[in-house]
Amino acid sequence: MTTAQKMSKKVVFAAILACLTVAGSGSAFAATHRVLRNLNDQTFTGLCCTSYNETVSITEPATVAPVVVTFSSDYQVNVSGDQYHVGLSVNGAACKTFEGYGPQVIADADAPEGIYSSATIQWVILPTDGVLITGTNTFELCGGGLNNSSDSITIGQNTLSVALF
């Protein structure tokens, strides 16, 4: 085998290895979903805390950085006179509302049936909170009523997003 053939095989091997590395890292980044938009109404009944079936994720670098999660939604309180809490479950941990990462209450607006209010809630999760990890982090929206198992809220069109800060 000539030197040129040996060199050619090394170049081809290096090129294949580079392609596999790029493809592998690309699929890791593709697994994160930073923005979720839901255009369908969802009604949730019961006490806090249940999943609101909305999840976003982000890939943290080797040195974990703060994360900002934003939830913006139309909503309608179906049973008035109580507090409705909204929070986050980070990486599958318990839902945090009462000792969470920021605001927790959706205002109980006494609006006529079919009339929606709007709310935007933003949470900041710091590395010192101890829940962020290097690699993929998942943030799931959760919440519910405070005092009564018949508490009910309809979450209308909404967005949930996550970004490194």
Side-chain angles (χ1 to χ4, degrees):
M1 186 175 280
T2 67
T3 304
Q5 288 175 322
K6 287 180 184 177
M7 188 70 123
S8 178
K9 284 185 178 185
K10 287 181 182 179
V11 170
V12 169
F13 177 76
I16 291 171
L17 185 59
C19 288
L20 290 173
T21 301
V22 169
S25 64
S27 63
F29 288 113
T32 62
H33 302 284
R34 293 179 177 213
V35 178
L36 172 74
R37 180 172 52 190
N38 187 342
L39 302 178
N40 300 310
D41 289 356
Q42 302 176 83
T43 300
F44 300 95
T45 302
L47 295 171
C48 194
C49 289
T50 60
S51 171
Y52 283 171
N53 304 315
E54 298 194 2
T55 303
V56 291
S57 58
I58 195 165
T59 301
E60 282 276 3
T63 302
V64 177
V67 170
V68 177
V69 178
T70 304
F71 173 63
S72 183
S73 180
D74 292 335
Y75 69 95
Q76 182 178 21
V77 174
N78 302 321
V79 177
S80 62
D82 200 359
Q83 290 184 15
Y84 290 86
H85 289 260
V86 64
L88 294 173
S89 166
V90 180
N91 294 325
C95 179
K96 278 198 166 194
T97 58
F98 302 104
E99 71 287 341
Y101 311 108
Q104 64 187 12
V105 177
I106 293 179
D108 185 356
D110 286 326
E113 187 174 334
I115 303 297
Y116 284 75
S117 299
S118 296
T120 298
I121 297 176
Q122 193 168 64
W123 300 279
V124 176
I125 298 101
L126 303 171
T128 54
D129 291 330
V131 295
L132 299 173
I133 58 172
T134 299
T136 301
N137 287 266
T138 302
F139 307 88
E140 183 176 9
L141 191 65
C142 52
L146 180 62
N147 295 308
N148 193 323
S149 62
S150 67
D151 288 342
S152 178
I153 189 168
T154 298
I155 305 294
Q157 295 185 12
N158 67 83
T159 58
L160 181 65
S161 63
V162 60
L164 292 175
F165 189 71

